[in-house]
Amino acid sequence: MTCGTALLSLSHWLLVLGISSLPHPLPEISSARASLFRVPTHHRHTLPSPSFSSNPSTPLHSCKNCKRIFSDYIILYSLPPVLLMAATIVPAHAAFFGAKKEIGARASFSPSISAHRCRKHALNKVLAVMSPTQPSRAPSTTGSVKHGMTMTEKILAKSSDRSKLEPGENIWVNIDVLMTHDVCGPGTIGIFKKEFGKNAKVWDREKIVIIPDHYIFTSDERANRNVDIIRDFALEQNIKYFYDIKDLSNFKVNPDYKGVCHVALAQEGHCRPGEVLLGTDSHTCNAGAFGQFATGIGNTDAGFVMGTGKLLLKVPPTMQFVLDGEMPHYLLAKDLILQIIGEITVAGATYKSMEFVGSTVESLNMEERMTLCNMVVEAGGKNGVVPPDETTFKYLEGKTSLNYEPVYSDESAKFISEYRFDVSKLEPVVAKPHSPDNRALARECKDVKIDRVYIGSCTGGKTEDFMAAAKVFLASGKKVKVPTFLVPATQKVWMDLYSLPVPGSGGKTCSQIFEEAGCDTPASPSCGACLGGPRDTYARMNEPMVCVSTTNRNFPGRMGHKEGQIYLASPYTAAASALTGYVTDPREFL
Amino acid sequence: MATTLSSIQAPVSTICASSQRPHCPTGTQSLLFVSKPSNYTIFAKTSYSFKPSKIRPITAPRATPSSSPPTTFHGQCYVLGDNIDTDQIIPAEHLTLVPSKPDEYKKLGSFAFSGLPTSLYPIPFIQPGTDSTQYPIIIAGANFGCGSSREHAPVALGAAGVRAVVAESYARIFFRNSVATGEVYPIELEHEGVNKQCTTGDIVTVDLERNVFINHTKGKEFVLKPIGDAGPVIDAGGIFAYARKTGMISSVV
């Protein structure tokens, strides 16, 4: 393969996923002999140039200045030559992107793209050739600074070592955290092992968070086996954050077990402003509430990240949603996001970032902000962001010891569109079957008879969500008219239900209020019936019935039965509906 | 790489345009044009790990803007509406199946589109008692593949024997997963409303070289948007296979 073809193949590698333009012009390569070592920023490496082509037995050379070792294909940092020669498999993290401890090592990593195909035989180990990190160029040299960047653009720029980028560009992004769970973990692990080798090591054992949460409390053998698969992998790779569960009969005796991944990520301090978080789950966008870039990916992409710590991402343009006005006491963040999705439809934000700003957003606590960002994907959005502030920093106190750097949209940033809402004029809404954008006012659905209510999931099963429901039950003082299922997202939420006093209740806990209202006992924390799951999942819809739910999707069959009818709603609306047996506006009680 | 033929019901043929694939492999692949569904031998993917070997041109693939995967798909189509989400493509209860395990990959295929409401879609995508589909081509409306990011969705389609989805538009995670896995070609239509002019069971051709979609039964032609650079990636068998094929990743031990 000639040098020219090698480069064109590189452009193919970059141009995946329907992308049409190169991320950045590639360097001119005039001859096969030209040095293709991209120069890290601190100095130009001095290497014996043509000699490596003449001596196949010594394919490795060290820079006279820094002693770093180079090969035709990759740069290996700080590994003694003897290890390189002897190693049958170069550990992915060391080989590709430098030892974790080296400051800026990953930032300045730049593999060479060698044209010496004849040399290929000398290096037959695990080698990944990646696109070179583009060198930072001061805006003044490009002469193209006409506007600033949005938050999403800035976060991606920072994580790809670029000073500037535009929506539509494809860039290699360094990933700060990769999350997977019991449903997609086994598939991701399978791909990782198949592509990087069964003895390959993950890029960073501290940056992968494995959270079993989807199909946990079930007798389904495959589901149980899947938890075993991710446990085996976590042990084998010495994964630092694996929230294991072994005793399925009693979640409380599993001290490591957390529950729903997105809520656990937040509660355990894995969400930090300015970072990039990817997860094998579409609601990973939930973490955007912390002012970071967070989005969902599939098993194959995750397998790739597992081995390399990078992913090729396309920079999305940003839609700005300005929410101003005092939040009425009968509205919650769920109403706001359902309002927005109803406005722009389920494809209104496809490939775009959704930025939420305004006085109302600033008044929301972290859990409410999470609800807002959680459903960005239901509008097709790639990610959602809320600017971090004191509320964010306070929440993070004591949860993480890592430093983080908040990032904010520039004054002159360009947004692809802007939507403004006067929140004080909004009313409680629901999403009628069978689409999250099938918006209607709750009060207009008061004749819809319902069969059950479900309060749970990453969207509506957090502590604040249960507090909200408890407030409605407290205000009513009556009992529910339909089975009301409560599934706390995590162990922490479950404990809050049993310990935190509900304001205005004279010291009662949520659990007491729920019991007095005749709700089901709060269940074991997990994703539960939000997505149906195995047949024996608690609260799964196994017959056609009408359900008001605080979850995130109501497509046909979402909670189990294909003819089931799901009305998505806020916890206020869900509780109010449970009390009447019909879809009910919470102002009936609040 | 082992190449096996599976004799299944889907009446599809993959025709390799002669200009780019001069060497027809002998013995392992047969190219037959559709006439009677019952006499079909196709080389569908038999399992996730084993792709049928493709004909490789002598020279390495060149990335030029005008090149597109030299592939045509032909057979019966299955027609869907807008916003077909991944729960309908593969209901959540089947997500305990791990796509990277060959036997479970096949099982996933048998459940493809089992989430479609029968009131709207009375014709089953997969005949009861069988585990793959007669419909290698899907015609859909807008926002195909929305909802959950489950990669099981394009995998189930590929495992069932789907070769191409022709839709007005796609949700981003589904599109990305389709290309990364190489399981199905996610092709976009130039215009809206095509699915309303097609009926499940129509015989169609998807021509990725001419970027045209022909409904032979209805006697209509529609324009496709070029698949672009995602094509070679899917053609190679997904992101990793493509990276290996083009020398971007050397073989892994």
Side-chain angles (χ1 to χ4, degrees):
Chain A
M1 209 193 264
T2 65
C3 168
T5 314
L7 270 186
L8 290 170
S9 301
L10 168 64
S11 74
H12 253 160
W13 168 241
L14 299 174
L15 295 175
V16 292
L17 312 171
I19 298 149
S20 57
S21 64
L22 286 172
H24 206 78
L26 293 170
E28 287 295 323
I29 308 295
S30 54
S31 78
R33 287 265 174 130
S35 167
L36 298 177
F37 296 106
R38 296 306 306 273
V39 179
T41 48
H42 61 286
H43 69 254
R44 186 169 288 272
H45 293 293
T46 311
L47 296 155
S49 49
S51 62
F52 58 74
S53 68
S54 58
N55 190 349
S57 64
T58 55
L60 305 159
H61 307 272
S62 67
C63 168
K64 290 180 176 37
N65 300 324
C66 67
K67 305 293 176 231
R68 279 183 185 160
I69 296 163
F70 292 82
S71 71
D72 277 3
Y73 292 80
I74 58 173
I75 294 175
L76 304 159
Y77 287 161
S78 309
L79 284 179
V82 64
L83 254 185
L84 292 169
M85 300 301 235
T88 50
I89 293 181
V90 181
H93 69 273
F96 304 154
F97 300 106
K100 155 171 84 73
K101 289 198 176 58
E102 246 189 313
I103 311 295
R106 290 191 313 152
S108 57
F109 169 72
S110 43
S112 67
I113 307 131
S114 173
H116 291 259
R117 291 295 164 206
C118 60
R119 298 279 305 126
K120 201 166 135 183
H121 66 274
L123 292 156
N124 57 353
K125 308 304 174 210
V126 173
L127 299 168
V129 185
M130 309 268 291
S131 92
T133 322
Q134 301 306 319
S136 296
R137 293 168 71 190
S140 54
T141 68
T142 65
S144 65
V145 182
K146 298 227 169 13
H147 59 85
M149 292 193 283
T150 67
M151 234 175 109
T152 293
E153 288 158 25
K154 273 185 159 174
I155 296 168
L156 292 177
K158 193 161 75 99
S159 296
S160 59
D161 305 312
R162 297 274 301 269
S163 62
K164 191 111 179 65
L165 43 73
E166 297 281 337
E169 287 193 56
N170 296 293
I171 48 168
W172 285 102
V173 180
N174 297 319
I175 310 305
D176 293 292
V177 178
L178 173 71
M179 180 279 296
T180 191
H181 47 54
D182 56 302
V183 162
C184 293
T188 301
I189 292 163
I191 290 169
F192 170 72
K193 285 183 174 287
K194 175 179 165 232
E195 304 295 348
F196 291 98
K198 58 179 168 46
N199 297 323
K201 292 285 170 224
V202 299
W203 107 93
D204 190 323
R205 60 169 284 273
E206 296 194 8
K207 295 193 173 172
I208 297 176
V209 186
I210 302 186
I211 314 182
D213 65 349
H214 274 59
Y215 304 156
I216 306 301
F217 306 103
T218 170
S219 57
D220 184 300
E221 281 176 7
R222 265 203 304 264
N224 299 336
R225 169 207 67 177
N226 289 346
V227 179
D228 293 340
I229 291 176
I230 57 178
R231 180 183 310 110
D232 290 344
F233 185 74
L235 292 173
E236 167 203 303
Q237 300 280 336
N238 196 16
I239 298 290
K240 185 168 179 186
Y241 302 107
F242 170 54
Y243 300 130
D244 196 6
I245 179 165
K246 289 200 171 92
D247 187 341
L248 306 180
S249 66
N250 182 3
F251 70 90
K252 288 170 243 158
V253 307
N254 298 277
D256 294 333
Y257 179 68
K258 306 293 170 202
V260 175
C261 57
H262 308 300
V263 184
L265 280 172
Q267 291 178 329
E268 301 310 309
H270 295 298
C271 303
R272 293 172 291 266
E275 290 194 3
V276 173
L277 182 149
L278 300 181
T280 57
D281 193 272
S282 58
H283 293 109
T284 307
C285 48
N286 187 83
F290 289 84
Q292 64 176 145
F293 180 90
T295 194
I297 56 175
N299 297 356
T300 303
D301 279 336
F304 187 92
V305 176
M306 242 184 206
T308 65
K310 287 186 180 236
L311 194 65
L312 185 69
L313 290 173
K314 186 168 167 185
V315 180
T318 303
M319 301 169 81
Q320 198 177 56
F321 295 88
V322 187
L323 305 169
D324 279 321
E326 194 180 317
M327 186 84 146
H329 67 275
Y330 44 82
L331 281 192
L332 290 168
K334 181 68 173 281
D335 294 295
L336 303 180
I337 190 64
L338 284 179
Q339 182 76 28
I340 291 171
I341 296 170
E343 201 74 30
I344 67 177
T345 82
V346 286
T350 302
Y351 280 102
K352 301 191 181 83
S353 176
M354 295 174 73
E355 187 174 307
F356 301 103
V357 296
S359 58
T360 320
V361 176
E362 288 163 27
S363 73
L364 297 176
N365 58 43
M366 287 312 295
E367 294 201 344
E368 284 280 84
R369 294 178 188 192
M370 284 189 240
T371 304
L372 208 55
C373 292
N374 178 285
M375 287 187 72
V376 152
V377 64
E378 311 318 333
K382 185 153 179 161
N383 72 302
V385 278
V386 172
D389 56 14
E390 279 308 313
T391 307
T392 324
F393 309 142
K394 196 123 188 12
Y395 182 94
L396 284 170
E397 269 173 34
K399 290 194 175 65
T400 181
S401 55
L402 296 181
N403 291 325
Y404 53 83
E405 195 190 311
V407 153
Y408 302 93
S409 288
D410 292 329
E411 273 292 311
S412 56
K414 261 185 20 183
F415 294 91
I416 201 174
S417 53
E418 186 191 83
Y419 288 80
R420 291 190 163 264
F421 292 87
D422 180 354
V423 174
S424 63
K425 304 225 162 51
L426 297 180
E427 298 184 66
V429 287
V430 296
K432 300 188 295 184
H434 296 277
S435 179
D437 66 1
N438 194 6
R439 183 185 69 189
L441 293 175
R443 61 176 165 81
E444 283 174 352
C445 300
K446 62 179 171 42
D447 295 326
V448 176
K449 194 166 191 310
I450 66 174
D451 300 303
R452 51 166 56 180
V453 165
Y454 185 95
I455 302 178
S457 83
C458 51
T459 317
K462 306 182 287 295
T463 302
E464 289 297 325
D465 301 309
F466 286 106
M467 282 283 179
K471 230 193 274 183
V472 173
F473 291 131
L474 189 69
S476 152
K478 301 267 192 330
K479 285 193 182 304
V480 296
K481 296 221 162 65
V482 294
T484 303
F485 303 102
L486 312 170
V487 185
T490 63
Q491 283 224 47
K492 283 207 170 103
V493 174
W494 186 92
M495 291 195 294
D496 286 347
L497 300 198
Y498 281 89
S499 57
L500 295 181
V502 176
S505 69
K508 287 188 189 164
T509 62
C510 284
S511 56
Q512 287 172 303
I513 294 172
F514 293 146
E515 194 182 325
E516 283 167 14
C519 302
D520 259 39
T521 311
S524 303
S526 77
C527 296
C530 168
L531 72 163
R535 292 286 162 116
D536 62 349
T537 302
Y538 175 75
R540 187 183 196 275
M541 207 190 283
N542 292 322
E543 271 112 38
M545 48 179 88
V546 183
C547 176
V548 173
S549 170
T550 63
T551 56
N552 44 59
R553 288 196 186 114
N554 57 352
F555 294 117
R558 173 69 178 175
M559 292 185 84
H561 199 282
K562 281 200 266 195
E563 266 95 63
Q565 313 235 351
I566 303 161
Y567 286 74
L568 301 177
S570 79
Y572 281 161
T573 306
S577 306
L579 288 165
T580 64
Y582 292 79
V583 175
T584 303
D585 188 305
R587 284 174 286 190
E588 298 288 316
F589 299 101
L590 291 175
Chain B
M1 211 176 336
T3 307
T4 52
L5 289 173
S6 61
S7 192
I8 63 176
Q9 288 176 318
V12 79
S13 65
T14 302
I15 302 154
C16 305
S18 56
S19 59
Q20 292 249 355
R21 295 189 172 175
H23 309 283
C24 212
T26 53
T28 54
Q29 292 167 334
S30 54
L31 306 172
L32 293 170
F33 216 87
V34 178
S35 51
K36 288 195 191 324
S38 53
N39 299 340
Y40 259 88
T41 309
I42 75 151
F43 34 106
K45 303 181 193 59
T46 52
S47 79
Y48 189 61
S49 314
F50 304 96
K51 303 282 177 213
S53 61
K54 300 282 170 124
I55 307 159
R56 286 199 161 59
I58 292 171
T59 55
R62 311 254 331 173
T64 59
S66 60
S67 76
S68 51
T71 328
T72 308
F73 305 111
H74 181 96
Q76 289 186 71
C77 70
Y78 193 89
V79 182
L80 296 163
D82 293 335
N83 300 320
I84 300 297
D85 73 295
T86 48
D87 273 88
Q88 293 183 73
I89 298 174
I90 185 79
E93 63 183 308
H94 304 302
L95 299 184
T96 49
L97 296 163
V98 175
S100 53
K101 292 180 184 293
D103 55 326
E104 297 188 15
Y105 168 85
K106 204 158 148 60
K107 263 196 97 109
L108 265 177
S110 70
F111 292 118
F113 283 126
S114 56
L116 291 174
T118 34
S119 51
L120 293 174
Y121 302 100
I123 302 173
F125 183 69
I126 293 177
Q127 289 294 340
T130 66
D131 60 7
S132 50
T133 187
Q134 319 169 17
Y135 308 99
I137 295 156
I138 309 290
I139 313 298
N143 202 24
F144 185 83
C146 59
S148 160
S149 62
R150 59 191 70 162
E151 201 169 86
H152 305 67
V155 168
L157 295 182
V162 175
R163 294 310 308 277
V165 180
V166 179
E168 274 174 37
S169 60
Y170 293 90
R172 58 160 282 270
I173 308 180
F174 177 86
F175 185 91
R176 195 179 167 110
N177 288 344
S178 297
V179 179
T181 56
E183 287 288 337
V184 292
Y185 288 84
I187 300 154
E188 271 183 85
L189 287 155
E190 191 68 47
H191 304 293
E192 291 176 10
V194 173
N195 57 335
K196 296 195 172 69
Q197 302 180 57
C198 298
T199 313
T200 295
D202 286 352
I203 306 290
V204 302
T205 295
V206 177
D207 187 333
L208 295 185
E209 248 195 303
R210 291 175 46 224
N211 290 318
V212 86
F213 165 64
I214 307 163
N215 186 325
H216 302 287
T217 308
K218 299 280 197 298
K220 288 188 174 156
E221 250 187 57
F222 305 95
V223 181
L224 297 173
K225 290 188 185 160
I227 186 122
D229 294 292
V233 179
I234 304 166
D235 209 37
I239 223 179
F240 282 104
Y242 183 77
R244 269 197 297 277
K245 179 174 165 183
T246 54
M248 300 308 296
I249 299 181
S250 294
S251 276
V252 168
V253 173

